[in-house]
Amino acid sequence: LLRTPPPNSSSSPPPPNSSSSFSSSSSSSSSSSSPSLLGSRHEGRRTPMTEEFAPKDVLLGTSTGGLLMCMCLAIVMAGKDKVLTTLITLAFIFAIIVIRSLVPNSHNREKSRCKRMQTSKGLLPGRTGWSVAAVYYGKTKKYDEWYRGATSAINKKRTTEAVEITRLGITGDEQSRKSHGGPGRALLHYASEHYEEIADWYKEKESVKDGEAFLKQLKPPGFGENISTSCGMTEHTVCIGDIYMLGTSVIQVSQPRAPCFHLNHQFKTKRRGSLISNLVELRQMSGWLYRVLKPGKFQAGDDFILLRRPLPELPVSFVHRMVSAEIFYLEDVKEIADCKLLDDKWRKYARERIKNGNKPVSMAVRLLGKEGQCRYTEPGAKYVKPEQRTHHVRS
């Protein structure tokens, strides 16, 4: 508890002027127009451990000490009865183990947070060594073979020319649904390394009937991405709130990409054990989205220049894992719910998890479609609306 509080994040060096054309005038105008997006100078500062972790540590210490005292008293009262003494000792040891599992140790949480920051905190403002491999955009099309009235803009085409981006994304790029677009979902970024990882997983499981067709489809831009990279820029190395200069534009990481059931139609993985939407959800390999702070142009080959990293302790994968993880520190969920740089959709997920007693949020409808779990289980299964369902289901 006497550990020195973490240093202030404001001590990180400012972005070098030589590596960026983001002038001071544009910086001041952007910060004045949208201060909540850029964040304050102390956005990434952490609360000292003496304030944040003391209550649970005290509870853990007092409960453990009290049990040990009770155990010693019970052994003294048991006298020379060795069997009774052994049973009392084992019972108290079991009780201590249970208490330590129910009351999360704050130092373990601090250790896990430091582990998350190992891949992100060392990245200082300036050139990152990351660059755009390809740029894609596309139009909305109908896919009646998926289901009746299906529309999607997931199949995009590659362009080698410079594209112009506005607050709503690439000029000429479309979204089939209102929920798929907007200022907080202007650009979708997906790491091309994941395609190989997914292919290896399916080859091992052999859960796809038409394997050759599936592997042929498993390549950029199969996930509907606008930006593709192959340089180690993944959900584990990118953090919420990161601000990058890309070409003449300035973009900020706003949220993880929430995969939906359209991916199952796209890759023809309709069997329960092979749903690609479930795979990328559980492994946090779904990509992430940007908001545009300064419209401009960029093209394939442009470098990502990091301007600010206000939240190095919040990688994209960590925020995504919060939704479905069985065990997750409540303090971290509250931190995600209060993160102003995160899109409102994911903050709502965090608040819902807090409301449900820190239990995982159900994503069955998003991952499996409107018909929920029935769509990909049995061919003759029919969807039953929530208000028509019984409280008890028997197999």
Side-chain angles (χ1 to χ4, degrees):
L1 295 179
L2 299 178
R3 186 181 298 179
T4 306
N8 195 327
S9 64
S10 61
S11 61
S12 59
N17 297 330
S18 59
S19 62
S20 170
S21 59
F22 189 45
S23 61
S24 59
S25 60
S26 62
S27 175
S28 59
S29 62
S30 299
S31 60
S32 60
S33 61
S34 56
S36 61
L37 298 181
L38 291 174
S40 64
R41 195 173 173 180
H42 300 279
E43 188 77 37
R45 185 173 65 85
R46 302 288 305 185
T47 306
M49 287 189 61
T50 52
E51 299 176 8
E52 185 177 2
F53 304 119
K56 286 192 174 181
D57 280 342
V58 172
L59 175 62
L60 181 63
T62 53
S63 58
T64 305
L67 280 175
L68 289 175
M69 292 178 63
C70 292
M71 181 181 70
C72 294
L73 182 62
I75 291 175
V76 171
M77 294 178 64
K80 298 182 179 181
D81 193 339
K82 296 182 178 180
V83 176
L84 183 60
T85 303
T86 303
L87 291 176
I88 292 174
T89 305
L90 293 177
F92 277 100
I93 291 176
F94 177 76
I96 292 173
I97 294 175
V98 171
I99 290 178
R100 292 187 66 88
S101 63
L102 293 178
V103 183
N105 193 341
S106 63
H107 295 290
N108 290 337
R109 177 174 178 259
E110 177 71 10
K111 184 178 179 180
S112 64
R113 187 179 65 189
C114 293
K115 187 176 181 180
R116 295 199 308 269
M117 296 174 65
Q118 284 179 358
T119 58
S120 60
K121 190 175 181 181
L123 190 64
L124 299 177
R127 296 193 177 275
T128 59
W130 299 333
S131 61
V132 179
V135 181
Y136 304 93
Y137 69 96
K139 302 288 186 179
T140 301
K141 298 179 181 179
K142 292 184 178 180
Y143 295 92
D144 291 330
E145 65 273 15
W146 290 4
Y147 58 91
R148 183 180 299 177
T151 59
S152 178
I154 192 171
N155 288 315
K156 303 183 183 297
K157 61 180 181 180
R158 183 174 181 174
T159 178
T160 57
E161 300 178 356
V163 294
E164 182 178 358
I165 57 173
T166 64
R167 301 287 181 180
L168 298 178
I170 297 176
T171 303
D173 189 41
E174 296 181 357
Q175 292 84 32
S176 61
R177 300 183 181 185
K178 186 177 180 180
S179 59
H180 287 182
R185 304 172 61 91
L187 295 170
L188 173 60
H189 189 148
Y190 195 73
S192 62
E193 297 95 328
H194 293 333
Y195 287 102
E196 185 176 352
E197 297 176 24
I198 296 172
D200 293 340
W201 187 87
Y202 276 101
K203 288 178 182 178
E204 180 182 351
K205 296 296 181 180
E206 297 181 356
S207 55
V208 180
K209 292 182 178 179
D210 193 2
E212 294 182 0
F214 170 75
L215 295 177
K216 185 178 180 180
Q217 183 75 10
L218 197 60
K219 62 180 181 179
F223 277 77
E225 60 265 32
N226 299 116
I227 301 175
S228 178
T229 54
S230 58
C231 51
M233 191 177 185
T234 66
E235 294 83 354
H236 300 283
T237 58
V238 174
C239 299
I240 298 297
D242 281 1
I243 300 178
Y244 298 97
M245 169 162 280
L246 187 61
T248 60
S249 63
V250 178
I251 57 179
Q252 183 179 43
V253 178
S254 60
Q255 59 183 306
R257 186 255 189 96
C260 70
F261 66 98
H262 277 183
L263 292 175
N264 302 323
H265 291 291
Q266 169 78 344
F267 295 102
K268 298 180 176 59
T269 57
K270 298 185 179 181
R271 292 197 295 166
R272 180 77 176 175
S274 63
L275 297 181
I276 196 170
S277 61
N278 283 344
L279 175 64
V280 297
E281 171 83 7
L282 296 177
R283 296 198 174 192
Q284 298 88 47
M285 298 191 303
S286 60
W288 60 94
L289 294 145
Y290 295 101
R291 61 172 65 95
V292 179
L293 301 184
K294 177 187 175 185
K297 293 183 178 182
F298 73 94
Q299 62 183 356
D302 286 347
D303 295 329
F304 285 89
I305 300 175
L306 180 64
L307 301 181
R308 282 199 66 220
R309 170 159 284 183
L311 301 173
E313 68 274 18
L314 285 184
V316 173
S317 60
F318 179 73
V319 177
H320 196 166
R321 190 166 63 251
M322 177 271 302
V323 175
S324 56
E326 290 289 340
I327 300 175
F328 209 88
Y329 287 107
L330 183 60
E331 290 83 357
D332 289 331
V333 181
K334 293 180 180 178
E335 181 181 0
I336 293 173
D338 296 336
C339 180
K340 296 181 180 180
L341 300 182
L342 183 63
D343 190 78
D344 291 338
K345 177 180 181 179
W346 289 85
R347 297 177 67 185
K348 182 180 178 181
Y349 288 156
R351 289 192 292 267
E352 183 177 348
R353 177 161 186 150
I354 295 172
K355 184 179 179 181
N356 295 337
N358 199 17
K359 296 180 180 179
V361 182
S362 175
M363 294 295 164
V365 175
R366 171 168 63 82
L367 295 173
L368 306 178
K370 182 180 179 181
E371 298 179 1
Q373 298 177 350
C374 295
R375 178 183 293 274
Y376 302 105
T377 52
E378 298 295 336
K382 294 183 179 180
Y383 174 65
V384 180
K385 295 182 179 180
E387 59 269 17
Q388 298 175 348
R389 297 173 187 169
T390 59
H391 294 286
H392 302 282
V393 179
R394 296 180 180 177
S395 57

